[in-house]
């Protein structure tokens, strides 16, 4: 995983992103990857369009709130998203506008047993956990009796 993460970061840097901190794999064997911040990222870079499973923060700059939603939705992934806004109308626009199975307002995406967990797009379908999730383990029988 460390090697794959390093390849994605290196590819993005080669295409113009800047590692403002981190981004260099320490010498020798192991699994550690340093906390990294990438700026100047655009959606054509691997860091801008692929999932990075590691301590890498990707910074994409938006012109305004609607542009930020557009950038977020320009992805084949849709597991979870966070909206950071004080304005109630922006919070609602984020909840409705973001194409994700879960949207958290002023909080990081998290999992809790009482909340349905799952994504859309290439991040899956259906839900686990919560009342919706327990239904995944049930069998429903349909029956119909014609009137005589």
């Amino acid at each position: 995983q460390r090697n794959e993460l390093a390849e994605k970061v290196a590819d993005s840097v080669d295409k113009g992103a800047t590692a403002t901190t981190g981004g260099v794999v320490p010498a020798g064997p192991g699994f550690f990857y340093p906390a990294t911040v990438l700026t100047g990222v655009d959606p054509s870079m691997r860091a801008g369009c692929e999932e990075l499973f590691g301590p890498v923060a990707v910074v994409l700059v938006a012109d305004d709130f609607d542009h930020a939603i557009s950038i977020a939705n320009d992805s084949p992934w849709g597991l979870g998203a966070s909206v950071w806004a004080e304005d109630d109308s922006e919070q609602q626009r984020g909840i409705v506008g973001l194409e994700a199975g879960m949207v958290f307002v002023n909080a990081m995406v998290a999992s809790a047993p009482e909340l349905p967990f799952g994504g859309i797009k290439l991040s899956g379908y259906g839900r686990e956990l919560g009342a919706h999730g327990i239904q995944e383990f049930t069998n429903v029988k349909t029956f119909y009796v014609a009137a005589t």
Side-chain angles (χ1 to χ4, degrees):
Q1 181 61 39
R2 177 174 81 163
N3 292 341
E4 184 176 330
L5 185 62
E7 288 172 13
K8 291 177 182 181
V9 168
D11 174 75
S12 300
V13 169
D14 289 345
K15 291 181 178 170
T18 301
T20 60
T21 188
V24 178
V25 177
F31 303 101
F32 176 77
Y33 190 85
T36 300
V37 176
L38 291 177
T39 60
V41 176
D42 69 55
S44 70
M45 301 172 185
R46 291 184 72 188
C49 66
E50 296 182 25
E51 292 181 304
L52 304 177
F53 291 104
V56 179
V58 177
V59 179
L60 291 101
V61 177
D63 297 330
D64 56 31
F65 190 83
D66 291 326
H67 186 219
I69 296 228
S70 176
I71 291 170
N73 288 341
D74 186 23
S75 168
W77 313 107
L79 182 58
S82 293
V83 175
W84 298 85
E86 292 183 13
D87 182 74
D88 291 344
S89 67
E90 284 187 347
Q91 292 174 1
Q92 288 302 311
R93 286 171 47 212
I95 291 167
V96 172
L98 284 165
E99 297 170 358
M102 302 172 291
V103 177
F104 285 66
V105 176
N106 297 329
M108 298 298 293
V109 175
S111 174
E114 66 276 13
L115 298 176
F117 181 92
I120 61 171
K121 300 182 183 182
L122 294 180
S123 292
Y125 61 90
R127 296 292 176 268
E128 56 189 65
L129 304 175
H132 293 285
I134 197 67
Q135 292 175 1
E136 298 291 327
F137 297 99
T138 63
N139 289 317
V140 177
K141 181 185 287 186
T142 300
F143 67 93
Y144 174 85
V145 177
T148 56

